[in-house]
Amino acid sequence: MSRRSLLCLAVALTACGEVVIDHAPASNLLDAETASLETGLGVWTAWYGVTASRASTDARVGAAVLRVEVTEPYGWGVHLDNWPGFAAAPGAHRASFWARGTTARSVVARMKVSWRDSDGEELQAQTLTSPVLSGQWARTALELTAPEGTARVSVEVTGDEGTVGDVIELDALVVQASSAP
């Protein structure tokens, strides 16, 4: 770019006045620690049949994952320990997560997104289902619609399969408004 072009660009940008951004359009409704696990577990907690921990492994994004180790047969689950969930609004959203299994079993992870009203009553729930997990990271994503009256969102990740000792790793868990880039 020429010097003259840069000068014109600088003049044009300063002539626009102050810019105010009232929200982060690409922001995740889950807080940063819960979504990325970079500094801790966030509000993730073991629900049933597992121990849940933050692990510094070969993460998909960043340096840490949510490590879910199956401790009992007949299903497993982790959920957010911040009832009734994070602030949310009605409308179009997208949800996604990365998962992998560290065993050779047919384990599938299901992320349930529950839309709640201001009293915490569930208005609607939608579920994203991963492919059968392997040692390779797999992304699962789904377009969602939060119904009228939505004020909160909560998330849980569960599975029906798994044997004691199986490990599922989760990373980059996202629920965001679809208008976000």
Side-chain angles (χ1 to χ4, degrees):
M1 188 178 278
S2 73
R3 232 178 129 158
R4 180 175 159 81
S5 297
L6 287 173
L7 180 60
C8 289
L9 178 61
V11 169
L13 289 175
T14 57
C16 294
E18 185 177 336
V19 175
V20 176
I21 299 174
D22 64 353
H23 67 287
S27 66
N28 192 345
L29 298 180
L30 309 180
D31 68 47
E33 189 174 34
T34 301
S36 72
L37 305 147
E38 291 305 298
T39 58
L41 273 179
V43 294
W44 288 109
T45 189
W47 186 12
Y48 62 91
V50 301
T51 57
S53 60
R54 177 185 174 272
S56 296
T57 65
D58 183 22
R60 175 65 178 106
V61 178
V65 300
L66 175 58
R67 179 184 164 90
V68 178
E69 185 172 350
V70 178
T71 58
E72 299 174 26
Y74 315 116
W76 56 271
V78 293
H79 69 113
L80 301 179
D81 190 19
N82 70 334
W83 189 92
F86 291 102
H93 291 76
R94 74 176 65 95
S96 65
F97 69 99
W98 288 89
R100 71 177 174 185
T102 57
T103 66
R105 306 208 198 288
S106 296
V107 177
V108 171
R110 291 178 187 82
M111 182 171 131
K112 178 181 171 186
V113 178
S114 296
W115 305 108
R116 299 182 181 281
D117 65 17
S118 58
D119 294 327
E121 293 295 319
E122 186 176 84
L123 301 172
Q124 179 179 325
Q126 296 168 287
T127 302
L128 297 75
T129 303
S130 76
V132 171
L133 300 178
S134 70
Q136 301 299 312
W137 286 105
R139 183 174 185 262
T140 302
L142 185 65
E143 299 297 318
L144 309 172
T145 301
E148 277 306 312
T150 294
R152 312 296 287 177
V153 62
S154 63
V155 176
E156 63 190 48
V157 182
T158 63
D160 297 330
E161 309 84 4
T163 346
V164 174
D166 284 351
V167 174
I168 298 93
E169 292 181 334
L170 305 168
D171 201 4
L173 297 106
V174 175
V175 179
Q176 69 186 135
S178 286
S179 59

